[in-house]
Amino acid sequence: MALILTFLGKGGTGRSTIAIATAKKYAAQGKRVLLLSQDPGPGLGILLGTPLTSTPQAISPNFKAVQVQSAPLLERRWDEVKQLEAQYVRTPFFKEIYGQELGVLPGMDSALALNELREYDDSKQYDAIVYDGTGGMDTLRMLGMPEILSWYIRRFRKALVDSDLGKALSPFIQPVVSTVLTVDMSGDNATKSTQQVDNFLDKGKEILANPNRAAAYLVTTGDASAIGTARYLWGSSQQVGLTVGGVIVNQASVTETLAADFAPLTAVAVPAHSDNNWQGLIDALPDFGEATSAPKPIEINIAQRQVSLFLPGFDKKEIKLIQSGPEVTIEAGDQRRNILLPPQLTGKSVTGAKFLNSYLIVSF
């Protein structure tokens, strides 16, 4: 199982440089490292001294880098869809649509990048994967896809099953599907594919929630706007369940004010790298294993019937609590999180909520 690390911060704060130094640090320790970039431009390849492609390129011993290229990835995935269709559907209807024709729609880049990240993790070829994405809300939404999609599937599936339309159609679904497809959809087979999707999404959520498997670090400079952006992304990362392990201050000192802005996280200052001399920057990087001691995005105390969410970077006025169904929705900034409660709290009404020391504490 690979450790997945990413870096969040305002553009121009040196996230890509930090990502490269992190990859070099792990490679020097003898770990197999993959640096995965979603930036289609040549910048990262220039920093590495090797042009990047959609195939992992060897940079140095134990260190490879790859660039997510959406158009060829979309073409490859479409070919896989058509192969599945030909295998299961008696009269394929996608056969006249060719992958070479497909354009990349908004949002596809993130979905394709997430799937590449998942496949490289599943390959067991790497001990650490450093993801160099946009470093902003797009990165967080990409990493939060399993959480968001699982909610849509869970809620819309139940809404359809409970509806009059779902009850009316259920006697006809099996024979219709069996006529169109070449598979048996009766009995347990009817839920097999749905269960596979559920398992995939659950695995994604488990990885993101485990700081031993996935963590982010904030990157900032001494500039006020960079610090403000990092704080906002810190709070937003909690909404997708991603642990933020610490703060890297690039080419600036850690002042008392800055340290207080990010408490209780540890902030470390790192120098610029010069030419091909990366060692000073590498040596200054934090111990990424300390992410396990960072505040958890969410904690559920069944005995006290409380759910606590860590939401730094926001104040009370920016947080909204909604309970309009069996789950609780937390809105903070531009993010919403639907909390799937344990059975002991499911269906219980919220009896109180308070915002204290960056924690939203919800009682049932």
Side-chain angles (χ1 to χ4, degrees), residues 224-238:
S225 63
I227 293 171
T229 299
R231 280 178 51 80
Y232 181 81
L233 293 170
W234 182 20
S236 298
S237 69
Q238 312 303 297

Side-chain angles (χ1 to χ4, degrees), residues 123-137:
S123 73
K124 306 293 189 281
Q125 295 181 36
Y126 303 101
D127 301 307
I129 299 175
V130 180
Y131 174 67
D132 182 37
T134 62
M137 293 302 298

Side-chain angles (χ1 to χ4, degrees), residues 150-172:
S150 66
W151 180 87
Y152 273 92
I153 290 174
R154 184 169 66 248
R155 297 288 278 121
F156 278 85
R157 180 193 299 153
K158 186 177 187 304
L160 178 61
V161 170
D162 291 345
S163 69
D164 291 338
L165 177 61
K167 293 174 182 176
L169 290 178
S170 60
F172 305 99

Side-chain angles (χ1 to χ4, degrees), residues 285-339:
L285 290 174
D287 177 3
F288 295 109
E290 292 181 353
T292 56
S293 61
K296 295 180 180 179
I298 184 171
E299 294 187 71
I300 298 176
N301 189 321
I302 295 175
Q304 296 183 10
R305 300 175 71 166
Q306 287 185 338
V307 174
S308 300
L309 290 98
F310 185 53
L311 296 171
F314 298 112
D315 59 37
K316 184 178 180 179
K317 296 179 181 178
E318 297 175 288
I319 299 172
K320 184 185 296 185
L321 172 65
I322 306 166
Q323 188 179 31
S324 54
E327 301 173 14
V328 173
T329 301
I330 307 298
E331 184 176 311
D334 193 36
Q335 294 282 91
R336 280 180 180 167
R337 180 171 187 178
N338 296 289
I339 302 172

Side-chain angles (χ1 to χ4, degrees), residues 206-227:
E206 289 170 6
I207 290 174
L208 200 66
N210 182 357
N212 287 305
R213 292 281 279 116
Y217 276 74
L218 304 174
V219 180
T220 186
T221 62
D223 181 72
S225 63
I227 293 171

Side-chain angles (χ1 to χ4, degrees), residues 44-262:
L44 195 66
I46 292 172
L47 284 173
L48 290 168
T50 302
L52 298 184
T53 68
S54 57
T55 302
Q57 306 291 309
I59 305 300
S60 63
N62 302 318
F63 179 15
K64 292 182 178 181
V66 65
Q67 191 174 53
V68 174
Q69 298 179 350
S70 297
L73 270 180
L74 179 59
E75 180 180 334
R76 191 177 85 202
R77 298 301 177 197
W78 186 253
D79 288 341
E80 293 172 1
V81 169
K82 290 173 71 174
Q83 290 173 11
L84 289 171
E85 182 192 43
Q87 181 180 353
Y88 292 110
V89 180
R90 290 174 182 166
T91 308
F93 43 87
F94 287 148
K95 64 180 180 180
E96 299 300 330
I97 301 174
Y98 302 96
Q100 295 86 344
E101 302 174 310
L102 299 176
V104 180
L105 292 171
M108 283 185 176
D109 303 80
S110 295
L112 291 166
L114 181 63
N115 197 50
E116 285 294 282
L117 187 63
R118 178 188 65 84
E119 290 196 343
Y120 283 121
D121 181 42
D122 286 344
S123 73
K124 306 293 189 281
Q125 295 181 36
Y126 303 101
D127 301 307
I129 299 175
V130 180
Y131 174 67
D132 182 37
T134 62
M137 293 302 298
D138 288 342
T139 293
L140 293 178
R141 286 197 173 96
M142 182 202 81
L143 294 172
M145 276 185 183
E147 176 82 32
I148 296 167
L149 287 175
S150 66
W151 180 87
Y152 273 92
I153 290 174
R154 184 169 66 248
R155 297 288 278 121
F156 278 85
R157 180 193 299 153
K158 186 177 187 304
L160 178 61
V161 170
D162 291 345
S163 69
D164 291 338
L165 177 61
K167 293 174 182 176
L169 290 178
S170 60
F172 305 99
I173 290 176
Q174 194 276 327
V176 170
V177 170
S178 297
T179 300
V180 176
L181 305 179
T182 58
V183 294
D184 179 15
M185 292 296 288
S186 61
D188 292 338
N189 292 325
T191 59
K192 184 178 180 181
S193 60
T194 302
Q195 188 61 51
Q196 289 174 340
V197 173
D198 289 342
N199 291 342
F200 164 71
L201 296 175
D202 286 344
K203 180 181 177 183
K205 291 191 293 182
E206 289 170 6
I207 290 174
L208 200 66
N210 182 357
N212 287 305
R213 292 281 279 116
Y217 276 74
L218 304 174
V219 180
T220 186
T221 62
D223 181 72
S225 63
I227 293 171
T229 299
R231 280 178 51 80
Y232 181 81
L233 293 170
W234 182 20
S236 298
S237 69
Q238 312 303 297
Q239 284 288 75
V240 301
L242 176 63
T243 297
V244 173
V247 186
I248 299 172
V249 185
N250 194 14
Q251 302 179 50
S253 60
V254 179
T255 64
E256 289 186 9
T257 301
L258 189 148
D261 283 339
F262 293 100

